[in-house]
Amino acid sequence: MAIKYFKLYLLFVFITAISFFFGLRLLGQDSDFLSYSTFYDSISNDFSFSDTRFEYGFVLLNLLFKNVFNADIHVMLVALAFVSLAIKEFLFIKGNNALIITIFYLLGMGLLHEMTQIRVAIAISFVLLSFYYKSINRLYISFAIFLCSIMFHYSMAFFVMGFIIPNSWFLMNKLKIPMIFIYAIIAAITLYVIQGILVSNISIISLYASRADNESFNFASVRFIGLAFPLLIGVFSFNELSVFQKRCFIISLAAYAVSIPASLIPTVASRIFELGWVCFYFWVPGISSKKRKYTALFFLALVSLYFAIRNVYLEPIFGMQ
């Protein structure tokens, strides 16, 4: 028992240290931090939600930390990073290979999410936690957490396709791989059909669309090709996964498929692809065949390490003035 509590203490210290590293922006500032900082400085008690594109949950946290706690923005960012990482670590521990998958996650997505896109980071943590509670039949709490995730980032609505599937379909293997492929293709076609409506009615997507001529989604990128291998392994290992892991796999597969038609608006395609990428870290450890699992982990590690090097050295996203 003493060893267990000591391990939990070490884990707490580790997450706290990483949260300070991310929240204090020790690698330098990034474009998201500049927009967050500007918003934080401008927010006041008579603030109107119509004055910003940020979601209600994030705005309320800004009001809480600034006007109630009278705290610096870095305090809020450290707190959000800690909550986000703590939830993800809770879910990693529920599976296998928690230590190594934590390291892969921090290299691949931690620098991008917990340190830059903090709204997405906390929102994904909540939505994955809702998947977990849904998978153990805690339906009311899972639904409440799912709604909370959308309050931090509207893109979490994409996870509905994994949330609505009944547990019994997974437990009795009613959901077969061909059906999941059709599910993903339908999602891709639906996005292709309604993208004009989305561009016309959602300001942030309209902004992304306006940049389309100057951007591109690279189908020959390390992440797109590298993650194809574990995804293919997941197709043949689907029935080995737990209910929670199956939900995560569906999001990974759907995001991969949807990113193809979404590439007409490259930024949207990248955002959707990243939602599926995060989920890899939660279902790959569930593969029971050691050969398949370690092969999938190898490619996941390769992609993660490359993006850590790219984001810090090759195409730095930090150090902006």
Side-chain angles (χ1 to χ4, degrees):
M1 184 64 71
I3 295 177
K4 177 182 177 181
Y5 284 119
F6 181 68
K7 288 181 177 178
L8 289 175
Y9 170 74
L10 290 179
L11 181 60
F12 172 80
V13 172
F14 175 73
I15 293 176
T16 301
I18 295 296
S19 299
F20 272 97
F21 180 84
F22 286 163
L24 295 178
R25 296 300 196 270
L26 295 184
L27 288 178
Q29 297 180 359
D30 54 273
S31 58
D32 279 27
F33 173 79
L34 297 178
S35 63
Y36 290 158
S37 182
T38 300
F39 175 69
Y40 195 81
D41 291 340
S42 66
I43 200 168
S44 58
N45 288 322
D46 59 352
F47 170 81
S48 172
F49 284 102
S50 61
D51 294 337
T52 181
R53 65 180 177 84
F54 292 140
E55 295 82 359
Y56 287 6
F58 184 71
V59 171
L60 289 173
L61 273 182
N62 277 261
L63 286 168
L64 177 66
F65 275 89
K66 183 178 181 182
N67 295 342
V68 177
F69 298 154
N70 195 30
D72 183 84
I73 185 174
H74 291 94
V75 176
M76 182 185 74
L77 294 176
V78 169
L80 287 177
F82 179 85
V83 173
S84 178
L85 289 172
I87 292 173
K88 291 185 176 81
E89 194 59 37
F90 168 77
L91 296 173
F92 288 150
I93 291 174
K94 295 294 182 181
N96 301 316
N97 309 105
L99 177 59
I100 192 169
I101 208 70
T102 298
I103 294 171
F104 292 170
Y105 173 78
L106 291 174
L107 290 173
M109 294 304 298
L111 287 174
L112 183 63
H113 277 181
E114 272 76 14
M115 192 166 181
T116 60
Q117 302 169 9
I118 190 67
R119 287 158 45 237
V120 178
I122 191 72
I124 286 182
S125 292
F126 282 138
V127 82
L128 290 172
L129 188 63
S130 77
F131 272 19
Y132 170 75
Y133 280 115
K134 176 72 180 289
S135 300
I136 60 172
N137 291 310
R138 301 288 298 275
L139 303 183
Y140 292 115
I141 189 171
S142 68
F143 183 69
I145 296 173
F146 190 88
L147 291 180
C148 185
S149 73
I150 295 176
M151 294 292 287
F152 279 92
H153 208 277
Y154 298 139
S155 65
M156 295 305 106
F158 182 78
F159 285 80
V160 166
M161 66 179 67
F163 184 81
I164 61 175
I165 301 173
N167 286 343
S168 59
W169 287 25
F170 294 119
L171 292 170
M172 300 176 66
N173 290 327
K174 290 183 178 180
L175 200 62
K176 305 297 183 181
I177 286 298
M179 187 185 300
I180 296 173
F181 270 113
I182 293 173
Y183 200 41
I185 291 170
I186 290 174
I189 293 173
T190 301
L191 178 65
Y192 180 79
V193 171
I194 68 171
Q195 63 181 332
I197 298 173
L198 297 176
V199 170
S200 300
N201 294 278
I202 302 178
S203 58
I204 189 63
I205 296 181
S206 177
L207 175 63
Y208 292 155
S210 68
R211 303 173 181 169
D213 292 338
N214 301 314
E215 298 177 342
S216 64
F217 183 81
N218 186 6
F219 292 105
S221 65
V222 170
R223 65 178 184 175
F224 196 82
I225 295 176
L227 292 178
F229 293 98
L231 192 64
L232 182 61
I233 292 171
V235 167
F236 293 101
S237 307
F238 182 73
N239 288 337
E240 304 170 6
L241 305 178
S242 69
V243 174
F244 167 70
Q245 291 163 346
K246 286 178 179 178
R247 294 186 192 279
C248 293
F249 175 82
I250 287 173
I251 298 300
S252 290
L253 181 61
Y256 201 94
V258 169
S259 66
I260 298 173
S263 62
L264 295 172
I265 309 176
T267 303
V268 172
S270 292
R271 295 290 186 268
I272 291 174
F273 188 87
E274 287 165 9
L275 298 181
W277 180 3
V278 172
C279 291
F280 275 80
Y281 299 96
F282 295 89
W283 64 260
V284 166
I287 299 172
S288 59
S289 166
K290 287 187 176 180
K291 184 177 180 180
R292 289 180 180 177
K293 178 163 71 173
Y294 290 132
T295 301
L297 285 172
F298 170 78
F299 282 104
L300 189 57
L302 192 67
V303 173
S304 300
L305 180 60
Y306 169 76
F307 267 81
I309 295 172
R310 195 197 76 161
N311 288 336
V312 177
Y313 298 108
L314 301 181
E315 299 177 31
I317 59 176
F318 309 106
M320 298 181 66
Q321 300 298 323

